[in-house]
Amino acid sequence: MSEYSRKEYVYVTAQLVLNHVWLLLVALGLPGNWLMVATTGALQWWRPDLELFTMWTIGATVVLAFIGEIVEFFSGVAGSKKAGGSGWGSVGTFIGAIVGAICGTLFIPVPVLGSILGVCLGAFAGALLFELIGGRTLKRSLKSGQGAAVGRFVGTIFKLGMGVMIWVIIAVATFV
């Protein structure tokens, strides 16, 4: 374990607290995982003398952040497709999730829950609407919307899990 001065403990503690804030942003649909990676890289660049992180540690966090983004991005579309949705439903899922995230964050005044609810409801509504526009029946459109909402929720939880892993890797690397 590295021996830090009092001033250096302030740096690493501030970084860990800031990374915790970034982790909370993931639940809001924001790029918190990438902010954790950037904060960690910036601290290593700014204070290389502390020898906090190896390139392997930073590389591992980049890979985890990338995997989280990919899974989150495609999860709603995959859920819609698995439920029998069409290409129209996939487009609607994507657009609806973005609009839902914004509206949920603004109009559902419950931190984190409002954003997650908004993104899931938006994915549902987008898939439903675009399936109906594409000529699907209401029953099939509802099923596609339900699949999109469930998929998007699973993707958000997965990305949050990747964020927790990133946070833990950085926290352990800071003091080992």
Side-chain angles (χ1 to χ4, degrees):
M1 183 165 140
S2 299
E3 289 296 322
Y4 300 131
S5 70
R6 197 173 284 188
K7 185 177 180 181
E8 292 164 339
Y9 270 112
V10 170
Y11 295 145
V12 296
T13 301
Q15 184 235 2
L16 291 174
V17 169
L18 192 56
N19 279 354
H20 187 75
V21 171
W22 298 153
L23 180 61
L24 294 175
L25 291 181
V26 173
L28 300 175
L30 297 171
N33 291 347
W34 291 112
L35 291 170
M36 282 191 283
V37 171
T39 301
T40 301
L43 181 59
Q44 180 61 31
W45 172 80
W46 182 53
R47 293 297 310 263
D49 55 305
L50 295 178
E51 299 176 355
L52 292 171
F53 313 105
T54 66
M55 293 314 290
W56 289 106
T57 301
I58 293 173
T61 62
V62 167
V63 168
L64 291 173
F66 185 71
I67 291 169
E69 290 294 333
I70 295 296
V71 169
E72 183 196 34
F73 183 79
F74 288 109
S75 62
V77 172
S80 174
K81 286 281 190 190
K82 187 173 181 181
S86 67
W88 280 98
S90 296
V91 170
T93 298
F94 181 71
I95 293 170
I98 293 170
V99 171
I102 294 167
C103 291
T105 301
L106 295 175
F107 300 117
I108 302 174
V110 180
V112 179
L113 182 62
S115 298
I116 292 174
L117 200 60
V119 86
C120 292
L121 289 174
F124 172 82
L128 172 68
L129 179 63
F130 276 65
E131 290 288 1
L132 289 172
I133 289 170
R136 295 275 177 122
T137 65
L138 179 60
K139 183 178 180 179
R140 289 193 56 124
S141 299
L142 284 168
K143 188 171 179 167
S144 174
Q146 180 183 15
V150 169
R152 189 59 192 209
F153 178 75
V154 168
T156 300
I157 298 303
F158 182 87
K159 183 178 175 182
L160 190 57
M162 292 289 104
V164 168
M165 288 173 60
I166 291 168
W167 192 94
V168 168
I169 288 169
I170 292 168
V172 169
T174 299
F175 295 104
V176 175

